[in-house]
């Protein structure tokens, strides 16, 4: 039987574009006969970035103008990884061209940009539009999802969702576009990192009702292209405290931490859910395990549950072996193509409705910080 393929174009062939290309070449790692993404076209302003895609056997069209890629009738879907200021223009152009879209976070530099994209989404209900967020596809996180849906946690006491890294702890690191407000937007680290903290709680039905925020611009200057200091304008770290509510009416605190300056962290994601009956926590510092405790009265003890390759889509790797970042990327792309073809998908990629909630939360967080108050939204 001939395998179903989905012909993709990639706009933005940097770090994340290469991850998609790598995953598409590893499709045999999945044991099910899933639709396969085939990258036939690549677009980037950098010839060096395009050279990587010349190593991908099925990529035969190379562009420096993304509009030429969108005019290619062979391209069915687009993976787009461009700077935040370009989201509104490029994403809407993708949809106007009749292509399915898998875009990068934050899905619009700000709420206004998102609403431009949303208007175009609503004009094209036939197209699948999703945003990337790979960390919920770790087996330990999916175990948390399963337990939550089974109501194993009981009444929720509180939760915390964080992503922290320390690359900016190097004060001599040259400035890049993520540190420039005109390129990255007013959200700063919240725009770049926020959806990684939101995918899991939003999907579980945690709805923030209020927010207060502490935002930090810890390094106000960085070396420019000529080595001279230039202003570093965006937020480095953000801590948001919300009152949230779930479908059963529990109200509880949820903390979102998004930090580019977190000593000792590489790219550490942490998800924690605490309940009256059961609690669980996950960290990419210990990616093969889910830590949990159950309520037996006054005394509780944390236990470590090894997960291995208990993936949503089965893989050839033996179940005893560890799971990693590239494995999560493969699972996320499988989620997108399965949903695109109308196949069962237990945990879809981040949706436009969830992106709208994300923008509402981050916009309210900036207002809360500016006014030094709690915002209800």
């Amino acid at each position: 039987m001939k395998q179903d393929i989905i012909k993709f174009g990639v706009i933005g062939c940097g770090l994340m574009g290469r991850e998609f290309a790598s995953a598409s070449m590893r499709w045999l790692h999945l044991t099910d006969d899933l639709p396969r993404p085939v990258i036939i076209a690549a677009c980037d302003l950098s010839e060096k970035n395009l050279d990587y895609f010349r190593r991908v056997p099925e990529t035969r069209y190379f562009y420096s103008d993304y509009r030429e890629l969108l005019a290619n009738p062979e391209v069915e879907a687009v993976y787009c990884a461009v700077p935040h200021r370009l989201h509104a223009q490029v994403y809407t152009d993708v949809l106007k061209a009749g292509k399915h879209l898998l875009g990068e976070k934050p899905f619009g530099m700000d709420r206004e940009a998102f609403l431009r994209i949303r208007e175009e989404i609503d004009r094209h209900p036939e197209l699948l539009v999703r945003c990337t967020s790979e960390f919920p596809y770790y087996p330990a996180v999916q175990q948390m999802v399963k337990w939550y849906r089974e109501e194993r946690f009981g009444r929720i006491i509180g939760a915390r969702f964080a992503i922290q890294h320390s690359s900016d702890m190097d004060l001599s690191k040259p400035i890049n576009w993520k540190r420039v407000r005109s390129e990255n937007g007013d959200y700063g680290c919240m725009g770049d990192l926020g959806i990684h903290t939101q995918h899991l709680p939003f999907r579980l039905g945690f709805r923030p009702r209020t927010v207060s925020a502490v935002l930090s611009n810890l390094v106000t200057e960085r070396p420019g292209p000529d080595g001279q200091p230039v202003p570093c304008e965006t937020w480095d770290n953000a801590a948001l405290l919300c009152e949230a509510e779930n479908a059963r009416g529990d109200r509880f605190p949820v903390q979102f931490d998004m930090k580019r300056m977190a000593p000792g962290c590489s790219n550490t994601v942490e998800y924690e859910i605490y309940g009256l009956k059961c609690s669980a926590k996950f960290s990419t510092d210990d990616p093969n395990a889910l830590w949990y405790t159950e309520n037996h009265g006054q005394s509780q003890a944390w236990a470590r549950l090894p997960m291995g390759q208990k993936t949503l889509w089965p893989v050839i790797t033996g179940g005893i072996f560890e799971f990693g970042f590239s494995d999560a990327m493969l699972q996320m792309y499988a989620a997108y193509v399965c949903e695109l073809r109308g196949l069962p998908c237990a945990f879809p990629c981040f949706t436009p409705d969830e992106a709208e909630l994300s923008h509402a939360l981050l916009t309210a967080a900036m207002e809360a910080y500016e006014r030094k108050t709690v915002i209800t939204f």
Side-chain angles (χ1 to χ4, degrees), residues 86-118:
L86 299 176
H87 284 193
Q89 184 65 58
V90 179
Y91 289 8
T92 55
D93 284 346
V94 170
L95 299 173
K96 288 175 182 176
K99 316 294 187 185
H100 301 285
L101 171 64
L102 179 60
E104 276 293 336
K105 53 192 169 41
F107 227 76
M109 187 166 74
D110 50 29
R111 189 169 182 272
E112 181 181 355
F114 169 77
L115 291 175
R116 285 182 56 195
I117 301 168
R118 185 63 196 247

Side-chain angles (χ1 to χ4, degrees), residues 2-13:
K2 187 176 180 180
Q3 186 179 29
D4 181 16
I5 65 170
I6 301 171
K7 295 180 180 179
F8 270 85
V10 174
I11 300 174
C13 299

Side-chain angles (χ1 to χ4, degrees), residues 6-252:
I6 301 171
K7 295 180 180 179
F8 270 85
V10 174
I11 300 174
C13 299
L15 178 66
M16 302 314 295
R18 292 192 292 270
E19 286 286 351
F20 180 45
S22 174
S24 73
M25 298 300 294
R26 295 173 57 232
W27 217 247
L28 282 176
H29 201 76
L30 299 160
T31 59
D32 290 348
D33 185 24
L34 302 181
R36 183 168 72 93
V38 174
I39 300 172
I40 65 166
C43 176
D44 201 283
L45 295 176
S46 165
E47 280 297 320
K48 181 179 179 181
N49 287 347
L50 286 175
D51 283 344
Y52 176 88
F53 280 77
R54 291 188 172 95
R55 298 164 55 192
V56 180
E58 292 156 313
T59 307
R60 56 186 184 275
Y61 302 108
F62 301 92
Y63 304 102
S64 60
D65 185 340
Y66 75 89
R67 293 175 181 85
E68 294 180 7
L69 182 148
L70 296 180
N72 186 330
E74 294 184 52
V75 174
E76 180 180 356
V78 171
Y79 173 72
C80 190
V82 296
H84 302 168
R85 70 174 177 84
L86 299 176
H87 284 193
Q89 184 65 58
V90 179
Y91 289 8
T92 55
D93 284 346
V94 170
L95 299 173
K96 288 175 182 176
K99 316 294 187 185
H100 301 285
L101 171 64
L102 179 60
E104 276 293 336
K105 53 192 169 41
F107 227 76
M109 187 166 74
D110 50 29
R111 189 169 182 272
E112 181 181 355
F114 169 77
L115 291 175
R116 285 182 56 195
I117 301 168
R118 185 63 196 247
E119 288 178 1
E120 201 61 41
I121 292 172
D122 293 341
R123 293 189 186 101
H124 297 277
E126 76 282 5
L127 299 177
L128 180 68
V129 181
R130 294 292 182 262
C131 181
T132 64
S133 174
E134 60 276 3
F135 294 104
Y137 293 93
Y138 277 75
V141 182
Q142 285 301 309
Q143 188 67 53
M144 294 174 75
V145 172
K146 181 175 183 292
W147 285 357
Y148 184 81
R149 290 173 174 170
E150 294 171 349
E151 299 189 348
R152 182 167 172 174
F153 289 92
R155 181 172 180 173
I156 301 302
I157 297 171
R160 175 177 174 268
F161 306 94
I163 180 167
Q164 306 178 105
H165 60 77
S166 61
S167 62
D168 286 1
M169 293 294 292
D170 178 3
L171 303 186
S172 65
K173 178 182 175 181
I175 198 166
N176 60 33
W177 67 267
K178 291 183 180 180
R179 312 301 178 268
V180 179
R181 184 176 287 116
S182 61
E183 297 286 325
N184 187 55
D186 290 335
Y187 291 155
C189 63
M190 296 188 293
D192 197 45
L193 304 177
I195 283 175
H196 287 319
T197 69
Q198 298 156 7
H199 192 177
L200 177 61
F202 288 2
R203 185 60 49 81
L204 295 181
F206 294 6
R207 290 295 179 264
R209 302 303 186 193
T210 69
V211 62
S212 61
V214 177
L215 311 180
S216 303
N217 184 10
L218 299 167
V219 180
T220 57
E221 290 184 333
R222 287 193 177 274
D226 60 358
Q228 296 300 309
V230 295
C232 188
E233 304 166 319
T234 61
W235 303 115
D236 294 307
N237 288 357
L240 278 52
L241 180 61
C242 302
E243 182 183 43
E245 184 175 10
N246 63 7
R248 57 183 277 174
D250 299 342
R251 284 185 173 253
F252 47 90

Side-chain angles (χ1 to χ4, degrees), residues 215-342:
L215 311 180
S216 303
N217 184 10
L218 299 167
V219 180
T220 57
E221 290 184 333
R222 287 193 177 274
D226 60 358
Q228 296 300 309
V230 295
C232 188
E233 304 166 319
T234 61
W235 303 115
D236 294 307
N237 288 357
L240 278 52
L241 180 61
C242 302
E243 182 183 43
E245 184 175 10
N246 63 7
R248 57 183 277 174
D250 299 342
R251 284 185 173 253
F252 47 90
V254 173
Q255 183 173 335
F256 296 96
D257 290 328
M258 295 144 279
K259 298 179 179 179
R260 289 194 182 116
M261 301 190 72
C265 295
S266 175
N267 191 66
T268 306
V269 171
E270 298 168 336
Y271 297 147
E272 304 167 6
I273 301 176
Y274 300 95
L276 284 180
K277 292 170 59 178
C278 173
S279 300
K281 56 186 180 181
F282 163 79
S283 172
T284 52
D285 274 350
D286 189 8
N288 197 48
L290 177 64
W291 287 84
Y292 73 98
T293 183
E294 295 180 297
N295 186 358
H296 297 290
Q298 276 192 323
S299 299
Q300 298 88 40
W302 287 99
R304 184 180 184 274
L305 178 64
M307 297 303 301
Q309 293 280 336
K310 295 183 177 68
T311 54
L312 284 175
W313 284 271
V315 293
I316 62 171
T317 306
I320 62 172
F321 297 113
E322 291 82 2
F323 186 94
F325 179 81
S326 58
D327 299 308
M329 298 295 288
L330 182 65
Q331 293 286 313
M332 180 186 70
Y333 297 132
Y336 182 77
V337 299
C338 284
E339 194 177 9
L340 178 55
R341 286 295 192 247

